[in-house]
Amino acid sequence: MKITVKAPANIAFIKYWGKRNEKLRLPANSSISMNLSGAYTTTSVEFDSKLKSDILILNNKEVVGREMERVSKHLDLIRSIAKSKNYAQVKSTNNFPKGAGIASSASGFAALTVAAAKAVNLNLSEKKLSILARLGSGSACRSIPNGFVEWKMGNSSESSYARSLFGSEYWNIYDLIAVVGENSKKISSTEGHAVAESSPFYKTRLSGMKDKVAEIKSALKRKDFTKFGEITEAEAINMHTVMMTSVPPLYYLLPGTLDVISHVLELREKGIECYFTIDAGPNVHVICKEENKRKIQKVLSDIKSVKTVLINRAACGARVI
Ligand code: DP6
């Protein structure tokens, strides 16, 4: 049976950076995110007893090597639960640039997990799917539940999964992604996590996490956009400080990134409220309320280094289509 799944990318307001257990992808802290309506992966999986190995076709091109091995390893995990030996053909497309900080591994592994589990006839709960997706790529566990999501760090594989805090209709805020670079990053986030601890600021980052998560959850509950945005922006800078001060240092930001940041600050000075956040890549996610969306979109589109602006609001989690 061929199963097709659409899974959203997600943007973390409180980031996952650094792991307590690399193999199990247990994060060093809990994180908070929103699924993105305009950035998603569509994946179909079909197990076939005639296949001699797994096949991965990504954006219409067959993929081999490390990327393929990571997918095969994830399929092995699902096969072992289902006690199946069949290989699979996996076809996957992203509607956004891969490896550029729009969490392609999150939507990719969320879609792969749900499609493969269904295709091999496993009927798993959302919690189980989130745990499985986490084992493929940590942030993928947040693309399983709906809307606004919390990934509780937990203290074991079974207790580290994401759940929905609020559905996608809860709050009409937007994430306008100013794309300034479309090339895959040189250092993957998996490699980045592994060196986070080497930053002298990492311990300080983690010591403030519990309070930060509680504060942003409270702001979300109150729909306090100003507080929510301030925490989000400070958190992105906090993570990039750790990145840039780790050994080796990781510079995901490009000149265009800083260009967009300065426009965000200018917009705010003019009373147009918006805040930025950035993942492990150069693109800037500008968070705003609906009433300012058009104006901000126009300003971002007019910046020379901005190639395109992707518009997102909160979306539901991974779904069979
Ligand atoms: C900067 O989930 O890609 O986007 O678990 O090694 O696959 P792996 O890492 P990944 O890390 C995402 C890091 C981030 C922040 C975030 O999304 O929380």
Side-chain angles (χ1 to χ4, degrees):
M1 195 180 19
K2 178 165 146 184
I3 300 289
T4 304
V5 167
K6 179 177 164 184
N10 66 73
I11 181 64
F13 304 115
I14 302 296
K15 312 284 190 187
Y16 148 54
W17 196 247
K19 297 174 194 174
R20 289 165 59 217
N21 180 320
E22 245 182 283
K23 214 167 144 235
L24 291 176
R25 292 191 146 83
L26 295 180
N29 59 272
S30 299
S31 52
I32 306 282
S33 63
M34 176 180 104
N35 290 332
L36 301 179
S37 62
Y40 51 85
T41 300
T42 309
T43 298
S44 65
V45 175
E46 185 165 29
F47 288 92
D48 184 344
S49 57
K50 291 192 253 4
L51 288 176
K52 300 247 170 344
S53 65
D54 292 319
I55 299 171
L56 171 64
I57 297 168
L58 196 54
N59 297 321
N60 295 317
K61 266 203 219 131
E62 183 160 356
V63 175
V64 289
R66 252 175 45 183
E67 222 170 344
M68 171 69 215
E69 279 159 29
R70 190 167 168 189
V71 166
S72 249
K73 217 174 124 206
H74 199 57
L75 290 170
D76 284 343
L77 188 67
I78 292 164
R79 277 188 281 259
S80 73
I81 299 170
K83 300 191 175 37
S84 159
K85 291 208 161 9
N86 292 343
Y87 290 112
Q89 160 137 310
V90 178
K91 279 191 187 163
S92 193
T93 51
N94 292 323
N95 78 328
F96 56 87
K98 199 172 120 307
I102 315 176
S104 59
S105 66
S107 53
F109 277 94
L112 178 68
T113 303
V114 177
K118 253 272 155 333
V120 79
N121 266 323
L122 286 172
N123 204 355
L124 302 178
S125 64
E126 183 182 279
K127 171 180 163 181
K128 283 255 153 60
L129 288 168
S130 179
I131 291 169
L132 267 179
R134 187 202 78 228
L135 290 163
S137 175
S139 54
C141 77
R142 296 190 310 237
S143 288
I144 302 285
N146 286 333
F148 296 84
V149 171
E150 176 175 24
W151 172 12
K152 280 227 159 92
M153 61 190 279
N155 52 19
S156 62
S157 192
E158 283 306 300
S159 59
S160 187
Y161 60 94
R163 65 185 181 96
S164 178
L165 292 172
F166 298 101
S168 52
E169 302 302 316
Y170 170 71
W171 199 12
N172 211 4
I173 59 171
Y174 281 79
D175 172 8
L176 309 183
I177 309 175
V179 176
V180 297
E182 297 194 13
N183 293 332
S184 281
K185 54 202 174 211
K186 288 192 192 85
I187 301 189
S188 70
S189 25
T190 302
E191 292 163 315
H193 284 287
V195 299
E197 252 180 21
S198 65
S199 161
F201 302 114
Y202 184 61
K203 276 210 180 88
T204 313
R205 167 172 172 73
L206 291 186
S207 69
M209 265 304 168
K210 249 197 175 150
D211 289 346
K212 198 153 46 168
V213 169
E215 270 174 46
I216 204 164
K217 278 171 76 175
S218 154
L220 186 58
K221 198 166 174 194
R222 288 178 284 117
K223 295 190 184 171
D224 180 343
F225 185 68
T226 303
K227 189 78 194 157
F228 185 82
E230 284 171 358
I231 297 172
T232 295
E233 210 171 91
E235 161 62 359
I237 293 303
N238 181 311
M239 178 181 73
H240 279 273
T241 302
V242 167
M243 287 166 161
M244 289 189 279
T245 51
S246 62
V247 185
L250 307 176
Y251 301 106
Y252 289 113
L253 315 183
L254 291 175
T257 314
L258 298 181
D259 218 5
V260 177
I261 290 178
S262 63
H263 279 84
V264 168
L265 303 184
E266 249 171 52
L267 278 161
R268 262 206 323 261
E269 265 164 31
K270 286 185 194 144
I272 302 169
E273 200 176 14
C274 55
Y275 300 90
F276 67 83
T277 183
I278 308 157
D279 276 346
N283 301 322
V284 187
H285 295 248
V286 180
I287 312 298
C288 67
K289 288 189 187 165
E290 176 158 39
E291 67 224 44
N292 292 324
K293 185 184 73 170
R294 271 169 182 277
K295 268 189 229 146
I296 297 171
Q297 187 190 346
K298 168 96 179 61
V299 169
L300 296 177
S301 310
D302 287 347
I303 302 173
K304 237 174 128 191
S305 40
V306 172
K307 298 190 170 97
T308 174
V309 179
L310 309 173
I311 299 171
N312 300 277
R313 43 164 299 157
C316 67
R319 285 275 182 285
V320 176
I321 52 170

